[in-house]
Amino acid sequence: MTVDVLHSVNEIPADNWDALTQDLDIDADRGYLRFREHLESGQSLVVADSESGELSGALHGALTTHRTGLVSHPWKFVGSESVLRLTQDDPEAAHVLRTQRDLVGAEQSDPGEAEPVWQALDLRFGGCFVIRGFDSSELFLRSGLSGAEAEQVAGRLIRAAQSAARDHGAGAVAFPFVRPGDEVLRGALAEHGFQGGVVTAASAFHLNGCATYEEYLERLPSRRRRRYRQEERQILTSGLSTGEIDLIAHAERIAELEMQTLAKHGGRPDPEVIRKARTLLAEELPDSVRVPAVERDGMLIACALHLLGRRSSLFMAYGCDYDIEDRGASYPWACFYQPIRMALEQGAELVRLGLEGFDAKVQRGAVVEAREMWIWVPEQAPAKQLGTLLDFLDARNREYLQRFE
């Protein structure tokens, strides 16, 4: 058995990688992982387990930096207010926020002067080696392994990840979005000193073996079916036109629209960075990128970016021109209804919608599934305190997610 730590999926021969992941979904594709490597601000790491030149398993991740985004940075995620699930005018808000800071060991001071919680974690533990994909953290295991073999490969990969974190100056290893049903991974993480708790959830439309969009609609509850049809009628009667467009040909406008959406939600996006990232994605996965688009008088006013794979489609981004008030049902059509059609045509099982933002998705029939964050730090006392923080967040998030069951 050989376990190697590499810096890119490109260092593994394409045939070997494709043989390992041939039965997996699009987010295990080399092109998708190269795209993720492009997005990361820190060094990418690939841990590969092989025997006689054949891959038995692998994990793919990156080291965090201060520029790493919230979803990919465990300290930023568990240190955010959003993970506390506070309601508006919550009388317990001050106590909950204070508890979060206490558990992290962050200084208590005036809100305007308070040290960000994530920075307190970063100072204490250092950066993280983070293993995540689109909406989950997982190990890529060769199909056909027995249960015992899968557990052995998982153990070797996790031990190598812990060593790689130390060797690269990281103070932690994190699997931030573990599926509760992934018993092989969860068992290996627990065995190797990781601690976990629910911090968020992923959502998806389950297509339930339907062959056509009409069949899918007919299986929906009547009120939800009416909503689908009413919102799609709005598109037809509002003077808007719909279709699919080529990503590269429209990359500049698509980037402008995505920038507006990110800015609306508090981001500070650079449209040129977005344009380059989208162009790279189209070059890496030319047969998978789909862009449902809405136009008014020949001008693109809204669009969504999806990746269509064998088993599922992935919702990557939405962009919209907010200066145009009458956009009708552009959002649900581009993000939900047309992607469901595309996935059904492909014979896919799921339309995966990513993390957070549950309300609009659940209203239209998406199913929410919890995600657990599992973290390892080498020293016992800090690990115990980190476990207490994860337990605290787990209790709050489990209660919050019950509303979507």
Side-chain angles (χ1 to χ4, degrees):
M1 300 293 179
T2 302
V3 181
D4 297 307
V5 179
L6 311 169
H7 292 296
S8 171
V9 70
N10 283 337
E11 296 181 45
I12 299 174
D15 289 348
N16 286 7
W17 187 264
D18 293 344
L20 173 67
T21 61
Q22 62 184 340
D23 294 327
L24 303 178
D25 212 345
I26 189 170
D27 37 343
D29 187 277
R30 282 168 60 87
Y32 178 80
L33 295 177
R34 283 195 293 259
F35 171 69
R36 286 213 49 81
E37 291 173 358
H38 169 80
L39 294 182
E40 298 293 352
S41 61
Q43 173 66 64
S44 294
L45 295 176
V46 183
V47 181
D49 182 279
S50 58
E51 181 179 11
S52 302
E54 181 181 13
L55 285 172
S56 302
L59 59 82
H60 184 277
L63 303 171
T64 58
T65 74
H66 284 201
R67 300 191 310 277
T68 302
L70 182 147
V71 175
S72 292
H73 200 310
W75 302 149
K76 290 182 180 180
F77 205 99
V78 300
S80 68
E81 284 191 26
S82 61
V83 79
L84 299 175
R85 311 303 175 183
L86 296 169
T87 58
Q88 191 172 13
D89 301 323
D90 192 327
E92 294 294 313
H95 170 71
V96 171
L97 289 164
R98 188 165 54 252
T99 300
Q100 182 189 40
R101 297 186 70 83
D102 285 343
L103 291 174
V104 168
E107 295 179 0
Q108 299 287 354
S109 56
D110 294 336
E113 302 174 357
E115 172 191 29
V117 173
W118 79 267
Q119 288 187 10
L121 286 164
D122 195 66
L123 286 171
R124 180 162 194 180
F125 298 112
C128 300
F129 175 22
V130 181
I131 295 90
R132 64 154 295 203
F134 171 70
D135 61 8
S136 63
S137 298
E138 58 189 303
L139 305 178
F140 304 133
L141 299 176
R142 190 181 74 227
S143 63
L145 294 177
S146 68
E149 289 171 332
E151 291 173 0
Q152 292 167 4
V153 173
R156 290 195 294 270
L157 290 171
I158 289 170
R159 287 192 294 274
Q162 291 169 321
S163 296
R166 294 192 202 93
D167 293 344
H168 288 80
V173 180
F175 288 72
F177 308 124
V178 176
R179 299 174 186 270
D182 192 341
E183 294 302 331
V184 170
L185 176 56
R186 293 175 78 249
L189 292 173
E191 182 178 346
H192 289 82
F194 284 72
Q195 299 175 88
V198 173
V199 294
T200 186
S203 58
F205 294 113
H206 292 246
L207 305 183
N208 300 319
C210 293
T212 67
Y213 187 68
E214 280 303 314
E215 182 183 355
Y216 175 79
L217 288 182
E218 288 302 318
R219 294 192 187 185
L220 295 176
S222 59
R223 181 177 299 178
R224 188 167 292 152
R225 182 166 60 249
R226 284 196 300 273
R227 179 173 199 151
Y228 272 57
R229 287 177 169 156
Q230 286 171 356
E231 289 184 324
E232 293 206 278
R233 257 195 313 273
Q234 289 177 18
I235 291 279
L236 297 175
T237 59
S238 61
L240 302 174
S241 58
T242 61
E244 292 186 33
I245 60 174
D246 179 82
L247 179 91
I248 292 180
H250 296 85
E252 186 172 345
R253 177 60 174 166
I254 290 170
E256 291 175 358
L257 297 179
E258 284 191 36
M259 180 193 68
Q260 288 196 43
T261 297
L262 289 169
K264 182 182 180 183
H265 292 90
R268 296 181 179 178
D270 182 333
E272 181 59 17
V273 171
I274 297 173
R275 186 194 66 78
K276 289 180 178 179
R278 297 299 170 245
T279 301
L280 174 65
L281 185 61
E283 291 170 348
E284 292 285 0
L285 294 164
D287 299 326
S288 301
V289 171
R290 304 284 288 273
V291 185
V294 180
E295 296 184 351
R296 177 180 291 281
D297 299 327
M299 182 176 71
L300 180 62
I301 66 166
C303 63
L305 173 60
H306 302 263
L307 292 181
L308 192 55
R310 293 186 301 271
R311 294 186 175 181
S312 69
S313 71
L314 314 183
F315 167 47
M316 303 293 292
Y318 175 70
C320 178
D321 188 337
Y322 293 94
D323 291 333
I324 297 175
E325 294 183 3
D326 185 12
R327 300 185 304 275
S330 297
Y331 172 74
W333 182 85
C335 296
F336 307 141
Y337 305 151
Q338 182 62 10
I340 290 171
R341 287 188 175 89
M342 296 185 310
L344 288 167
E345 291 170 2
Q346 181 77 4
E349 303 163 4
L350 297 170
V351 175
R352 292 158 63 189
L353 303 170
L355 306 163
E356 299 290 324
F358 308 117
D359 288 299
K361 301 167 184 176
V362 170
Q363 288 169 7
R364 294 165 176 86
V367 175
V368 172
E369 181 184 67
R371 291 289 183 268
E372 300 169 343
M373 180 176 288
W374 289 73
I375 304 177
W376 169 84
V377 295
E379 297 178 13
Q380 186 173 0
K384 183 177 180 180
Q385 185 173 6
L386 188 59
T388 303
L389 172 64
L390 289 170
D391 288 343
F392 171 68
L393 298 178
D394 178 272
R396 295 193 63 82
N397 279 275
R398 286 184 186 276
E399 181 180 5
Y400 169 74
L401 293 172
Q402 285 177 358
R403 63 185 284 195
F404 301 110
E405 292 179 353

